Amino acid sequence: MSTLTKWAIDPTHSEVSFKVKHLVISTVTGYFKTFEGGAETTSESDFNGATVSFSADINSIDTNQSDRDNHLKSADFFDAENFPKLSFTGTVNGDKLVGELTMRGTTKQVTMDVDFGGIAGDPYGNTKAGFEIEGKVSRKEFGLTWNAVTEAGSVVVSDQVRIILSVQLVKQ
């Protein structure tokens, strides 16, 4: 019987961002400043088959523009008052992370690409593992359906959202 190795996200060396097209001509980037999660592996060096869990605080959204942040937290989008967190649970399968993403009370299966950066020791004796994770979701499938159309007929916010995580895990 194998022993589970637990890994936790190191928030000081990780970031969680999203990108969405605005007016179809440019991209707006946002971050979740408060998040937590980790992984459990049956090996100290192989993450294939690892179970992963993650959550982010909706009220920590930061797009570098407070009015937009407040709109994203409102019932038009994430509805932070009723759904204060988004969450993910899944499994690493080779270079894919497959699991259930829950936003605004709706859960859908998503598949994201995983790029394993390797394992290294830090100056304090901790063992760290690095990952770049990226995927795309339809915000409308999760009930984030608000939109507007400009006078010229351009959609203000695209449906497709890119999710990008740069994560450093620390072995527990």
Side-chain angles (χ1 to χ4, degrees), residues 78-117:
F78 285 100
D79 193 4
E81 184 177 337
N82 293 304
F83 305 101
K85 291 192 181 291
L86 67 77
S87 62
F88 175 86
T89 56
T91 305
V92 176
N93 185 359
D95 63 353
K96 302 291 182 196
L97 178 57
V98 180
E100 303 291 319
L101 176 64
T102 302
M103 285 192 294
R104 199 183 160 115
T106 299
T107 302
K108 299 279 183 187
Q109 182 169 317
V110 298
T111 300
M112 299 197 282
D113 296 322
V114 176
D115 182 17
F116 175 49

Side-chain angles (χ1 to χ4, degrees), residues 36-53:
E36 62 186 5
E40 289 186 349
T41 61
T42 55
S43 163
E44 292 191 15
S45 60
D46 183 4
F47 283 83
N48 195 41
T51 57
V52 175
S53 63

Side-chain angles (χ1 to χ4, degrees), residues 53-159:
S53 63
F54 171 83
S55 68
D57 180 359
I58 299 300
N59 280 308
S60 74
I61 285 176
D62 182 359
T63 64
N64 205 30
Q65 210 283 327
S66 62
D67 288 344
R68 179 173 47 223
D69 296 347
N70 289 333
H71 192 200
L72 288 170
K73 295 172 193 177
S74 78
D76 282 346
F77 287 97
F78 285 100
D79 193 4
E81 184 177 337
N82 293 304
F83 305 101
K85 291 192 181 291
L86 67 77
S87 62
F88 175 86
T89 56
T91 305
V92 176
N93 185 359
D95 63 353
K96 302 291 182 196
L97 178 57
V98 180
E100 303 291 319
L101 176 64
T102 302
M103 285 192 294
R104 199 183 160 115
T106 299
T107 302
K108 299 279 183 187
Q109 182 169 317
V110 298
T111 300
M112 299 197 282
D113 296 322
V114 176
D115 182 17
F116 175 49
I119 296 175
D122 74 6
Y124 308 102
N126 297 306
T127 301
K128 303 281 190 94
F131 299 88
E132 299 293 326
I133 303 164
E134 187 168 342
K136 294 177 184 173
V137 298
S138 159
R139 67 182 177 87
K140 292 176 183 176
E141 287 184 3
F142 291 92
L144 284 76
T145 57
W146 181 91
N147 216 336
V149 177
T150 65
E151 284 185 27
S154 295
V155 173
V156 174
V157 182
S158 72
D159 176 44

Side-chain angles (χ1 to χ4, degrees), residues 5-21:
T5 301
K6 293 183 185 245
W7 301 80
I9 290 179
D10 176 354
T12 60
H13 296 105
S14 301
E15 69 179 30
V16 177
S17 64
F18 58 91
K19 293 182 178 288
V20 64
K21 287 282 189 185

